[in-house]
Amino acid sequence: MSLRADTPAPPSARVHRFSRAERWVHRTTAALMGVCVATAAVLYIPQLAVMLGRRELVVRIHECAGLALPVPVLLGLASRAFRADLRYLNRFGPHDRLWLRAALVRDKRCSSRPAGKFNAGQKIYAAWIAGATLVMLGTGLLMWFTHLAPLMWRTSATFVHDWLALTIGVVLAGHIGMALGDPEARRGLRTGKVSREWADREHPLWRP
């Protein structure tokens, strides 16, 4: 009898994917990002602002969460496994171009989407969200500490910060949607282990 898609594989058929430190970095970063997005929504959507009130408190929570956002990644650098995964994410090889080509033409065959521990989509997402976070941090500091730059710079920083925040919200929604469609990937982030069958199917070039 075959296992259901949402039923964990037997322990003997599972392989290690993420260390405890890596899971902690992901969860903490996700929580801080969630706070930033939620407080930003309250600050920029009038109906939510009126419903919640206490705008000054929301602003302070948003600022503190934004400043803390890079901290989990910086602390994670103490983990050898986390540093190794960063190297994997920063390498883009010929197989990644094949994966992207298949994704663009909506070819969902596993044989058309070769991937190592991380596929090309995950690598692009990681690079984009890291860059966006740094830009948000820089523009946020200019908006918070008004003496750091002239008015024109602060006005430009506000424009970039607001529109990039909207873009991040859309990209995060897509990221969460894809995660909801892959319970085994979520299980890997929750427990650190995935089924051998899933690893061979989704990441055939990965050698755990």
Side-chain angles (χ1 to χ4, degrees):
M1 182 174 64
S2 61
L3 294 171
R4 291 177 53 189
D6 57 350
T7 301
S12 59
R14 302 188 71 75
V15 295
H16 181 77
R17 183 163 173 82
F18 295 117
S19 68
R20 181 177 298 178
E22 291 171 292
R23 302 198 306 273
W24 177 87
V25 170
H26 184 270
R27 292 170 185 170
T28 310
T29 302
L32 290 171
M33 184 66 78
V35 171
C36 287
V37 171
T39 51
V42 172
L43 292 173
Y44 288 101
I45 299 177
Q47 292 84 349
L48 292 178
V50 171
M51 184 186 307
L52 188 63
R54 307 196 67 177
R55 180 180 177 85
E56 188 64 26
L57 176 61
V58 175
V59 169
R60 291 293 168 259
I61 293 174
H62 183 78
E63 292 170 342
C64 291
L67 285 175
L69 198 53
V71 173
V73 173
L74 295 176
L75 293 177
L77 293 175
S79 164
R80 181 180 300 176
F82 183 70
R83 295 197 304 271
D85 274 359
L86 288 182
R87 288 193 292 271
Y88 289 137
L89 285 168
N90 284 327
R91 292 173 182 167
F92 204 89
H95 62 278
D96 293 309
R97 286 189 284 272
L98 293 175
W99 191 98
L100 285 176
R101 189 177 301 119
L104 289 173
V105 299
R106 298 182 181 275
D107 184 351
K108 296 183 178 181
R109 294 175 300 167
C110 296
S111 59
S112 300
R113 297 192 178 195
K117 185 172 185 179
F118 302 102
N119 62 44
Q122 292 167 331
K123 292 178 180 181
I124 291 174
Y125 170 79
W128 186 89
I129 200 68
T133 298
L134 291 176
V135 172
M136 291 295 285
L137 180 61
T139 54
L141 288 173
L142 287 177
M143 295 164 61
W144 188 3
F145 299 103
T146 56
H147 61 281
L148 291 178
L151 177 61
M152 182 179 296
W153 287 24
R154 299 199 304 272
T155 302
S156 300
T158 302
F159 177 84
V160 172
H161 196 87
D162 291 352
W163 282 101
L164 185 54
L166 178 61
T167 306
I168 289 175
V170 173
V171 172
L172 284 177
H175 179 68
I176 294 171
M178 295 188 70
L180 290 175
D182 194 341
E184 191 62 27
R186 297 200 313 275
R187 191 173 293 117
L189 282 170
R190 188 174 68 252
T191 68
K193 294 183 178 181
V194 295
S195 70
R196 169 68 68 177
E197 186 274 334
W198 179 88
D200 291 342
R201 183 184 70 248
E202 300 294 335
H203 301 270
L205 302 181
W206 176 40
R207 298 293 178 264

